mmCIF file of all heavy atoms in Angstrom:
data_model
loop_
_atom_site.group_PDB
_atom_site.id
_atom_site.type_symbol
_atom_site.label_atom_id
_atom_site.label_comp_id
_atom_site.label_asym_id
_atom_site.label_seq_id
_atom_site.Cartn_x
_atom_site.Cartn_y
_atom_site.Cartn_z
ATOM 1 N N ILE V 237 6.637 -3.958 -26.784
ATOM 2 C CA ILE V 237 5.791 -2.771 -26.625
ATOM 3 C C ILE V 237 4.364 -3.182 -26.282
ATOM 4 O O ILE V 237 3.700 -2.552 -25.445
ATOM 5 C CB ILE V 237 5.825 -1.912 -27.909
ATOM 6 C CG1 ILE V 237 7.247 -1.347 -28.125
ATOM 7 C CG2 ILE V 237 4.824 -0.768 -27.815
ATOM 8 C CD1 ILE V 237 7.407 -0.561 -29.416
ATOM 9 N N GLY V 238 3.885 -4.260 -26.897
ATOM 10 C CA GLY V 238 2.545 -4.763 -26.565
ATOM 11 C C GLY V 238 2.445 -5.233 -25.129
ATOM 12 O O GLY V 238 1.420 -5.046 -24.464
ATOM 13 N N ALA V 239 3.545 -5.817 -24.617
ATOM 14 C CA ALA V 239 3.560 -6.262 -23.216
ATOM 15 C C ALA V 239 3.390 -5.077 -22.278
ATOM 16 O O ALA V 239 2.751 -5.185 -21.218
ATOM 17 C CB ALA V 239 4.855 -7.003 -22.909
ATOM 18 N N ASN V 240 3.964 -3.930 -22.648
ATOM 19 C CA ASN V 240 3.809 -2.720 -21.839
ATOM 20 C C ASN V 240 2.342 -2.306 -21.738
ATOM 21 O O ASN V 240 1.890 -1.827 -20.697
ATOM 22 C CB ASN V 240 4.618 -1.573 -22.457
ATOM 23 C CG ASN V 240 5.981 -1.414 -21.812
ATOM 24 O OD1 ASN V 240 6.524 -2.377 -21.278
ATOM 25 N ND2 ASN V 240 6.543 -0.227 -21.868
ATOM 26 N N ILE V 241 1.593 -2.476 -22.833
ATOM 27 C CA ILE V 241 0.166 -2.124 -22.809
ATOM 28 C C ILE V 241 -0.620 -3.160 -22.017
ATOM 29 O O ILE V 241 -1.476 -2.830 -21.197
ATOM 30 C CB ILE V 241 -0.386 -2.014 -24.249
ATOM 31 C CG1 ILE V 241 0.337 -0.912 -25.014
ATOM 32 C CG2 ILE V 241 -1.895 -1.746 -24.228
ATOM 33 C CD1 ILE V 241 -0.045 -0.819 -26.481
ATOM 34 N N GLY V 242 -0.318 -4.436 -22.244
ATOM 35 C CA GLY V 242 -1.068 -5.504 -21.576
ATOM 36 C C GLY V 242 -0.950 -5.481 -20.071
ATOM 37 O O GLY V 242 -1.881 -5.865 -19.356
ATOM 38 N N THR V 243 0.203 -4.995 -19.564
ATOM 39 C CA THR V 243 0.398 -4.984 -18.109
ATOM 40 C C THR V 243 -0.525 -3.991 -17.411
ATOM 41 O O THR V 243 -0.688 -4.041 -16.184
ATOM 42 C CB THR V 243 1.872 -4.673 -17.766
ATOM 43 O OG1 THR V 243 2.126 -5.006 -16.409
ATOM 44 C CG2 THR V 243 2.181 -3.198 -17.973
ATOM 45 N N CYS V 244 -1.145 -3.082 -18.174
ATOM 46 C CA CYS V 244 -2.071 -2.099 -17.591
ATOM 47 C C CYS V 244 -3.378 -2.741 -17.143
ATOM 48 O O CYS V 244 -4.123 -2.146 -16.358
ATOM 49 C CB CYS V 244 -2.385 -0.990 -18.594
ATOM 50 S SG CYS V 244 -0.943 -0.054 -19.127
ATOM 51 N N VAL V 245 -3.653 -3.953 -17.643
ATOM 52 C CA VAL V 245 -4.906 -4.626 -17.293
ATOM 53 C C VAL V 245 -5.019 -4.815 -15.788
ATOM 54 O O VAL V 245 -6.093 -4.640 -15.195
ATOM 55 C CB VAL V 245 -5.007 -5.990 -18.016
ATOM 56 C CG1 VAL V 245 -6.172 -6.816 -17.481
ATOM 57 C CG2 VAL V 245 -5.160 -5.774 -19.519
ATOM 58 N N THR V 246 -3.906 -5.166 -15.142
ATOM 59 C CA THR V 246 -3.921 -5.417 -13.694
ATOM 60 C C THR V 246 -4.394 -4.187 -12.922
ATOM 61 O O THR V 246 -5.250 -4.282 -12.041
ATOM 62 C CB THR V 246 -2.520 -5.824 -13.208
ATOM 63 O OG1 THR V 246 -2.042 -6.897 -14.002
ATOM 64 C CG2 THR V 246 -2.561 -6.261 -11.753
ATOM 65 N N ALA V 247 -3.824 -3.022 -13.253
ATOM 66 C CA ALA V 247 -4.202 -1.793 -12.555
ATOM 67 C C ALA V 247 -5.643 -1.396 -12.872
ATOM 68 O O ALA V 247 -6.374 -0.920 -11.999
ATOM 69 C CB ALA V 247 -3.253 -0.662 -12.934
ATOM 70 N N LEU V 248 -6.063 -1.604 -14.125
ATOM 71 C CA LEU V 248 -7.442 -1.258 -14.501
ATOM 72 C C LEU V 248 -8.441 -2.122 -13.734
ATOM 73 O O LEU V 248 -9.462 -1.627 -13.243
ATOM 74 C CB LEU V 248 -7.632 -1.437 -16.006
ATOM 75 C CG LEU V 248 -6.913 -0.414 -16.900
ATOM 76 C CD1 LEU V 248 -6.970 -0.844 -18.360
ATOM 77 C CD2 LEU V 248 -7.518 0.977 -16.725
ATOM 78 N N LEU V 249 -8.154 -3.415 -13.612
ATOM 79 C CA LEU V 249 -9.040 -4.301 -12.840
ATOM 80 C C LEU V 249 -9.030 -3.903 -11.366
ATOM 81 O O LEU V 249 -10.058 -3.944 -10.689
ATOM 82 C CB LEU V 249 -8.596 -5.757 -12.995
ATOM 83 C CG LEU V 249 -8.778 -6.387 -14.382
ATOM 84 C CD1 LEU V 249 -8.176 -7.788 -14.421
ATOM 85 C CD2 LEU V 249 -10.259 -6.448 -14.754
ATOM 86 N N SER V 250 -7.844 -3.525 -10.875
ATOM 87 C CA SER V 250 -7.709 -3.140 -9.475
ATOM 88 C C SER V 250 -8.495 -1.872 -9.156
ATOM 89 O O SER V 250 -8.916 -1.665 -8.010
ATOM 90 C CB SER V 250 -6.235 -2.935 -9.134
ATOM 91 O OG SER V 250 -6.071 -2.459 -7.828
ATOM 92 N N SER V 251 -8.700 -1.010 -10.155
ATOM 93 C CA SER V 251 -9.357 0.280 -9.909
ATOM 94 C C SER V 251 -10.875 0.186 -9.890
ATOM 95 O O SER V 251 -11.556 1.165 -9.586
ATOM 96 C CB SER V 251 -8.934 1.294 -10.980
ATOM 97 O OG SER V 251 -9.455 0.942 -12.247
ATOM 98 N N ILE V 252 -11.416 -1.008 -10.218
ATOM 99 C CA ILE V 252 -12.875 -1.169 -10.212
ATOM 100 C C ILE V 252 -13.401 -0.990 -8.791
ATOM 101 O O ILE V 252 -12.931 -1.608 -7.845
ATOM 102 C CB ILE V 252 -13.273 -2.564 -10.750
ATOM 103 C CG1 ILE V 252 -12.885 -2.692 -12.222
ATOM 104 C CG2 ILE V 252 -14.772 -2.805 -10.581
ATOM 105 C CD1 ILE V 252 -13.082 -4.076 -12.794
ATOM 106 N N GLY V 253 -14.389 -0.139 -8.643
ATOM 107 C CA GLY V 253 -14.996 0.102 -7.334
ATOM 108 C C GLY V 253 -14.235 1.084 -6.464
ATOM 109 O O GLY V 253 -14.567 1.255 -5.294
ATOM 110 N N THR V 254 -13.224 1.757 -7.014
ATOM 111 C CA THR V 254 -12.459 2.718 -6.227
ATOM 112 C C THR V 254 -12.953 4.135 -6.509
ATOM 113 O O THR V 254 -13.877 4.347 -7.291
ATOM 114 C CB THR V 254 -10.955 2.629 -6.573
ATOM 115 O OG1 THR V 254 -10.791 2.945 -7.960
ATOM 116 C CG2 THR V 254 -10.419 1.230 -6.319
ATOM 117 N N SER V 255 -12.306 5.099 -5.877
ATOM 118 C CA SER V 255 -12.643 6.497 -6.117
ATOM 119 C C SER V 255 -12.236 6.885 -7.535
ATOM 120 O O SER V 255 -11.453 6.193 -8.189
ATOM 121 C CB SER V 255 -11.894 7.391 -5.118
ATOM 122 O OG SER V 255 -10.503 7.340 -5.364
ATOM 123 N N LYS V 256 -12.759 8.009 -8.001
ATOM 124 C CA LYS V 256 -12.430 8.450 -9.358
ATOM 125 C C LYS V 256 -10.960 8.832 -9.464
ATOM 126 O O LYS V 256 -10.352 8.677 -10.521
ATOM 127 C CB LYS V 256 -13.318 9.623 -9.757
ATOM 128 C CG LYS V 256 -14.776 9.230 -9.867
ATOM 129 C CD LYS V 256 -15.492 10.023 -10.934
ATOM 130 C CE LYS V 256 -16.873 9.420 -11.167
ATOM 131 N NZ LYS V 256 -17.556 10.041 -12.303
ATOM 132 N N ALA V 257 -10.384 9.305 -8.370
ATOM 133 C CA ALA V 257 -8.952 9.624 -8.382
ATOM 134 C C ALA V 257 -8.135 8.357 -8.596
ATOM 135 O O ALA V 257 -7.154 8.355 -9.347
ATOM 136 C CB ALA V 257 -8.557 10.316 -7.085
ATOM 137 N N ALA V 258 -8.529 7.266 -7.933
ATOM 138 C CA ALA V 258 -7.818 5.999 -8.092
ATOM 139 C C ALA V 258 -7.983 5.466 -9.513
ATOM 140 O O ALA V 258 -7.031 4.942 -10.107
ATOM 141 C CB ALA V 258 -8.330 4.980 -7.082
ATOM 142 N N LYS V 259 -9.181 5.594 -10.069
ATOM 143 C CA LYS V 259 -9.394 5.184 -11.466
ATOM 144 C C LYS V 259 -8.512 6.011 -12.398
ATOM 145 O O LYS V 259 -7.974 5.494 -13.383
ATOM 146 C CB LYS V 259 -10.872 5.351 -11.854
ATOM 147 C CG LYS V 259 -11.808 4.341 -11.219
ATOM 148 C CD LYS V 259 -13.222 4.513 -11.769
ATOM 149 C CE LYS V 259 -14.167 3.462 -11.201
ATOM 150 N NZ LYS V 259 -14.466 3.669 -9.793
ATOM 151 N N SER V 260 -8.346 7.278 -12.076
ATOM 152 C CA SER V 260 -7.508 8.151 -12.898
ATOM 153 C C SER V 260 -6.059 7.693 -12.886
ATOM 154 O O SER V 260 -5.355 7.797 -13.895
ATOM 155 C CB SER V 260 -7.606 9.597 -12.398
ATOM 156 O OG SER V 260 -8.910 10.102 -12.557
ATOM 157 N N ALA V 261 -5.593 7.186 -11.732
ATOM 158 C CA ALA V 261 -4.214 6.676 -11.655
ATOM 159 C C ALA V 261 -4.034 5.505 -12.615
ATOM 160 O O ALA V 261 -3.009 5.405 -13.306
ATOM 161 C CB ALA V 261 -3.898 6.255 -10.222
ATOM 162 N N ALA V 262 -5.028 4.608 -12.666
ATOM 163 C CA ALA V 262 -4.963 3.482 -13.598
ATOM 164 C C ALA V 262 -5.014 3.967 -15.043
ATOM 165 O O ALA V 262 -4.332 3.428 -15.925
ATOM 166 C CB ALA V 262 -6.104 2.509 -13.322
ATOM 167 N N ILE V 263 -5.815 4.999 -15.298
ATOM 168 C CA ILE V 263 -5.912 5.561 -16.651
ATOM 169 C C ILE V 263 -4.585 6.199 -17.064
ATOM 170 O O ILE V 263 -4.173 6.112 -18.226
ATOM 171 C CB ILE V 263 -7.065 6.587 -16.732
ATOM 172 C CG1 ILE V 263 -8.410 5.872 -16.571
ATOM 173 C CG2 ILE V 263 -7.034 7.349 -18.049
ATOM 174 C CD1 ILE V 263 -9.589 6.808 -16.427
ATOM 175 N N ILE V 264 -3.917 6.853 -16.122
ATOM 176 C CA ILE V 264 -2.602 7.447 -16.412
ATOM 177 C C ILE V 264 -1.627 6.360 -16.853
ATOM 178 O O ILE V 264 -0.887 6.514 -17.829
ATOM 179 C CB ILE V 264 -2.058 8.204 -15.185
ATOM 180 C CG1 ILE V 264 -2.860 9.485 -14.952
ATOM 181 C CG2 ILE V 264 -0.577 8.531 -15.350
ATOM 182 C CD1 ILE V 264 -2.514 10.194 -13.664
ATOM 183 N N HIS V 265 -1.634 5.226 -16.136
ATOM 184 C CA HIS V 265 -0.762 4.103 -16.485
ATOM 185 C C HIS V 265 -1.037 3.634 -17.907
ATOM 186 O O HIS V 265 -0.109 3.438 -18.719
ATOM 187 C CB HIS V 265 -0.986 2.964 -15.486
ATOM 188 C CG HIS V 265 -0.036 1.824 -15.644
ATOM 189 N ND1 HIS V 265 -0.400 0.521 -15.411
ATOM 190 C CD2 HIS V 265 1.265 1.795 -16.025
ATOM 191 C CE1 HIS V 265 0.642 -0.267 -15.634
ATOM 192 N NE2 HIS V 265 1.661 0.476 -16.003
ATOM 193 N N LEU V 266 -2.313 3.452 -18.239
ATOM 194 C CA LEU V 266 -2.696 3.002 -19.578
ATOM 195 C C LEU V 266 -2.311 4.038 -20.638
ATOM 196 O O LEU V 266 -1.766 3.694 -21.695
ATOM 197 C CB LEU V 266 -4.200 2.732 -19.618
ATOM 198 C CG LEU V 266 -4.778 2.270 -20.964
ATOM 199 C CD1 LEU V 266 -4.186 0.918 -21.346
ATOM 200 C CD2 LEU V 266 -6.304 2.182 -20.888
ATOM 201 N N SER V 267 -2.577 5.312 -20.345
ATOM 202 C CA SER V 267 -2.305 6.384 -21.314
ATOM 203 C C SER V 267 -0.813 6.490 -21.615
ATOM 204 O O SER V 267 -0.413 6.628 -22.778
ATOM 205 C CB SER V 267 -2.816 7.724 -20.775
ATOM 206 O OG SER V 267 -4.196 7.680 -20.517
ATOM 207 N N VAL V 268 0.009 6.429 -20.558
ATOM 208 C CA VAL V 268 1.462 6.526 -20.735
ATOM 209 C C VAL V 268 1.957 5.417 -21.666
ATOM 210 O O VAL V 268 2.755 5.658 -22.586
ATOM 211 C CB VAL V 268 2.184 6.448 -19.373
ATOM 212 C CG1 VAL V 268 3.664 6.170 -19.547
ATOM 213 C CG2 VAL V 268 1.980 7.743 -18.602
ATOM 214 N N ASN V 269 1.467 4.196 -21.451
ATOM 215 C CA ASN V 269 1.965 3.077 -22.248
ATOM 216 C C ASN V 269 1.384 3.046 -23.660
ATOM 217 O O ASN V 269 2.058 2.617 -24.603
ATOM 218 C CB ASN V 269 1.675 1.761 -21.522
ATOM 219 C CG ASN V 269 2.560 1.582 -20.296
ATOM 220 O OD1 ASN V 269 3.494 2.346 -20.086
ATOM 221 N ND2 ASN V 269 2.273 0.590 -19.485
ATOM 222 N N ILE V 270 0.135 3.499 -23.825
ATOM 223 C CA ILE V 270 -0.441 3.561 -25.174
ATOM 224 C C ILE V 270 0.243 4.650 -25.996
ATOM 225 O O ILE V 270 0.606 4.437 -27.164
ATOM 226 C CB ILE V 270 -1.964 3.802 -25.108
ATOM 227 C CG1 ILE V 270 -2.678 2.518 -24.666
ATOM 228 C CG2 ILE V 270 -2.499 4.249 -26.463
ATOM 229 C CD1 ILE V 270 -4.183 2.649 -24.567
ATOM 230 N N PHE V 271 0.427 5.838 -25.399
ATOM 231 C CA PHE V 271 1.117 6.908 -26.115
ATOM 232 C C PHE V 271 2.544 6.487 -26.464
ATOM 233 O O PHE V 271 3.055 6.811 -27.537
ATOM 234 C CB PHE V 271 1.135 8.188 -25.281
ATOM 235 C CG PHE V 271 -0.209 8.826 -25.123
ATOM 236 C CD1 PHE V 271 -0.501 9.629 -24.028
ATOM 237 C CD2 PHE V 271 -1.197 8.637 -26.076
ATOM 238 C CE1 PHE V 271 -1.751 10.216 -23.875
ATOM 239 C CE2 PHE V 271 -2.449 9.225 -25.941
ATOM 240 C CZ PHE V 271 -2.727 10.015 -24.835
ATOM 241 N N GLY V 272 3.179 5.744 -25.551
ATOM 242 C CA GLY V 272 4.520 5.241 -25.827
ATOM 243 C C GLY V 272 4.518 4.296 -27.016
ATOM 244 O O GLY V 272 5.429 4.341 -27.866
ATOM 245 N N ALA V 273 3.512 3.425 -27.075
ATOM 246 C CA ALA V 273 3.405 2.498 -28.200
ATOM 247 C C ALA V 273 3.198 3.247 -29.510
ATOM 248 O O ALA V 273 3.770 2.888 -30.548
ATOM 249 C CB ALA V 273 2.256 1.523 -27.951
ATOM 250 N N ILE V 274 2.403 4.315 -29.476
ATOM 251 C CA ILE V 274 2.110 5.080 -30.699
ATOM 252 C C ILE V 274 3.368 5.726 -31.260
ATOM 253 O O ILE V 274 3.712 5.553 -32.434
ATOM 254 C CB ILE V 274 1.026 6.142 -30.424
ATOM 255 C CG1 ILE V 274 -0.326 5.453 -30.153
ATOM 256 C CG2 ILE V 274 0.900 7.106 -31.604
ATOM 257 C CD1 ILE V 274 -1.407 6.399 -29.690
ATOM 258 N N TRP V 275 4.082 6.497 -30.408
ATOM 259 C CA TRP V 275 5.267 7.169 -30.940
ATOM 260 C C TRP V 275 6.378 6.173 -31.249
ATOM 261 O O TRP V 275 7.152 6.366 -32.210
ATOM 262 C CB TRP V 275 5.759 8.277 -30.010
ATOM 263 C CG TRP V 275 6.435 7.858 -28.725
ATOM 264 C CD1 TRP V 275 5.902 7.893 -27.476
ATOM 265 C CD2 TRP V 275 7.778 7.363 -28.583
ATOM 266 N NE1 TRP V 275 6.817 7.437 -26.553
ATOM 267 C CE2 TRP V 275 7.977 7.117 -27.215
ATOM 268 C CE3 TRP V 275 8.812 7.108 -29.473
ATOM 269 C CZ2 TRP V 275 9.173 6.610 -26.705
ATOM 270 C CZ3 TRP V 275 10.016 6.603 -28.971
ATOM 271 C CH2 TRP V 275 10.184 6.360 -27.603
ATOM 272 N N GLY V 276 6.484 5.107 -30.421
ATOM 273 C CA GLY V 276 7.530 4.118 -30.656
ATOM 274 C C GLY V 276 7.346 3.382 -31.973
ATOM 275 O O GLY V 276 8.286 3.276 -32.781
ATOM 276 N N MET V 277 6.128 2.898 -32.220
ATOM 277 C CA MET V 277 5.857 2.173 -33.465
ATOM 278 C C MET V 277 5.954 3.103 -34.670
ATOM 279 O O MET V 277 6.430 2.705 -35.742
ATOM 280 C CB MET V 277 4.471 1.525 -33.388
ATOM 281 C CG MET V 277 4.341 0.443 -32.335
ATOM 282 S SD MET V 277 5.306 -1.038 -32.688
ATOM 283 C CE MET V 277 4.299 -1.778 -33.970
ATOM 284 N N ALA V 278 5.511 4.358 -34.503
ATOM 285 C CA ALA V 278 5.568 5.324 -35.607
ATOM 286 C C ALA V 278 7.018 5.630 -35.983
ATOM 287 O O ALA V 278 7.379 5.653 -37.174
ATOM 288 C CB ALA V 278 4.843 6.606 -35.218
ATOM 289 N N LEU V 279 7.856 5.849 -34.964
ATOM 290 C CA LEU V 279 9.261 6.162 -35.221
ATOM 291 C C LEU V 279 9.966 5.004 -35.911
ATOM 292 O O LEU V 279 10.703 5.199 -36.894
ATOM 293 C CB LEU V 279 9.954 6.495 -33.896
ATOM 294 C CG LEU V 279 11.430 6.901 -33.989
ATOM 295 C CD1 LEU V 279 11.585 8.202 -34.769
ATOM 296 C CD2 LEU V 279 12.032 7.041 -32.586
ATOM 297 N N LEU V 280 9.748 3.795 -35.422
ATOM 298 C CA LEU V 280 10.372 2.621 -36.032
ATOM 299 C C LEU V 280 9.881 2.425 -37.456
ATOM 300 O O LEU V 280 10.656 2.054 -38.356
ATOM 301 C CB LEU V 280 10.079 1.376 -35.183
ATOM 302 C CG LEU V 280 10.735 1.322 -33.799
ATOM 303 C CD1 LEU V 280 10.213 0.129 -33.011
ATOM 304 C CD2 LEU V 280 12.251 1.271 -33.918
ATOM 305 N N GLY V 281 8.581 2.662 -37.673
ATOM 306 C CA GLY V 281 8.011 2.512 -39.016
ATOM 307 C C GLY V 281 8.614 3.498 -40.004
ATOM 308 O O GLY V 281 8.897 3.142 -41.156
ATOM 309 N N ILE V 282 8.828 4.727 -39.563
ATOM 310 C CA ILE V 282 9.419 5.754 -40.433
ATOM 311 C C ILE V 282 10.847 5.369 -40.801
ATOM 312 O O ILE V 282 11.253 5.440 -41.976
ATOM 313 C CB ILE V 282 9.397 7.127 -39.741
ATOM 314 C CG1 ILE V 282 7.946 7.629 -39.612
ATOM 315 C CG2 ILE V 282 10.233 8.142 -40.521
ATOM 316 C CD1 ILE V 282 7.792 8.865 -38.750
ATOM 317 N N PHE V 283 11.639 4.953 -39.808
ATOM 318 C CA PHE V 283 13.021 4.551 -40.076
ATOM 319 C C PHE V 283 13.071 3.340 -41.018
ATOM 320 O O PHE V 283 13.936 3.257 -41.901
ATOM 321 C CB PHE V 283 13.754 4.225 -38.777
ATOM 322 C CG PHE V 283 14.203 5.440 -38.009
ATOM 323 C CD1 PHE V 283 14.464 5.375 -36.649
ATOM 324 C CD2 PHE V 283 14.389 6.654 -38.647
ATOM 325 C CE1 PHE V 283 14.886 6.490 -35.941
ATOM 326 C CE2 PHE V 283 14.817 7.780 -37.953
ATOM 327 C CZ PHE V 283 15.056 7.704 -36.597
ATOM 328 N N ASN V 284 12.158 2.391 -40.821
ATOM 329 C CA ASN V 284 12.119 1.203 -41.680
ATOM 330 C C ASN V 284 11.821 1.573 -43.130
ATOM 331 O O ASN V 284 12.344 0.955 -44.069
ATOM 332 C CB ASN V 284 11.061 0.214 -41.185
ATOM 333 C CG ASN V 284 11.484 -0.489 -39.910
ATOM 334 O OD1 ASN V 284 12.672 -0.578 -39.600
ATOM 335 N ND2 ASN V 284 10.512 -0.992 -39.155
ATOM 336 N N ALA V 285 10.951 2.572 -43.293
ATOM 337 C CA ALA V 285 10.530 2.963 -44.641
ATOM 338 C C ALA V 285 11.569 3.819 -45.342
ATOM 339 O O ALA V 285 11.735 3.728 -46.570
ATOM 340 C CB ALA V 285 9.196 3.710 -44.565
ATOM 341 N N VAL V 286 12.287 4.643 -44.610
ATOM 342 C CA VAL V 286 13.194 5.626 -45.212
ATOM 343 C C VAL V 286 14.620 5.094 -45.356
ATOM 344 O O VAL V 286 15.288 5.373 -46.363
ATOM 345 C CB VAL V 286 13.193 6.932 -44.383
ATOM 346 C CG1 VAL V 286 14.232 7.920 -44.905
ATOM 347 C CG2 VAL V 286 11.809 7.554 -44.391
ATOM 348 N N LEU V 287 15.097 4.355 -44.360
ATOM 349 C CA LEU V 287 16.508 3.950 -44.336
ATOM 350 C C LEU V 287 16.671 2.464 -44.663
ATOM 351 O O LEU V 287 15.796 1.648 -44.332
ATOM 352 C CB LEU V 287 17.099 4.228 -42.947
ATOM 353 C CG LEU V 287 17.057 5.705 -42.503
ATOM 354 C CD1 LEU V 287 17.510 5.819 -41.051
ATOM 355 C CD2 LEU V 287 17.931 6.573 -43.403
ATOM 356 N N PRO V 288 17.769 2.096 -45.279
ATOM 357 C CA PRO V 288 17.997 0.680 -45.605
ATOM 358 C C PRO V 288 18.192 -0.184 -44.356
ATOM 359 O O PRO V 288 17.789 -1.345 -44.319
ATOM 360 C CB PRO V 288 19.268 0.709 -46.460
ATOM 361 C CG PRO V 288 19.942 2.003 -46.133
ATOM 362 C CD PRO V 288 18.841 2.973 -45.810
#
Side-chain angles (χ1 to χ4, degrees):
I237 295 176
N240 264 26
I241 298 174
T243 195
C244 299
V245 170
T246 308
L248 290 170
L249 292 175
S250 175
S251 68
I252 295 173
T254 61
S255 67
K256 294 212 170 187
K259 288 185 177 71
S260 296
I263 293 171
I264 289 172
H265 187 214
L266 179 64
S267 301
V268 165
N269 288 351
I270 286 180
F271 291 154
I274 292 172
W275 73 256
M277 295 292 285
L279 182 64
L280 292 173
I282 291 171
F283 282 158
N284 287 338
V286 174
L287 300 173

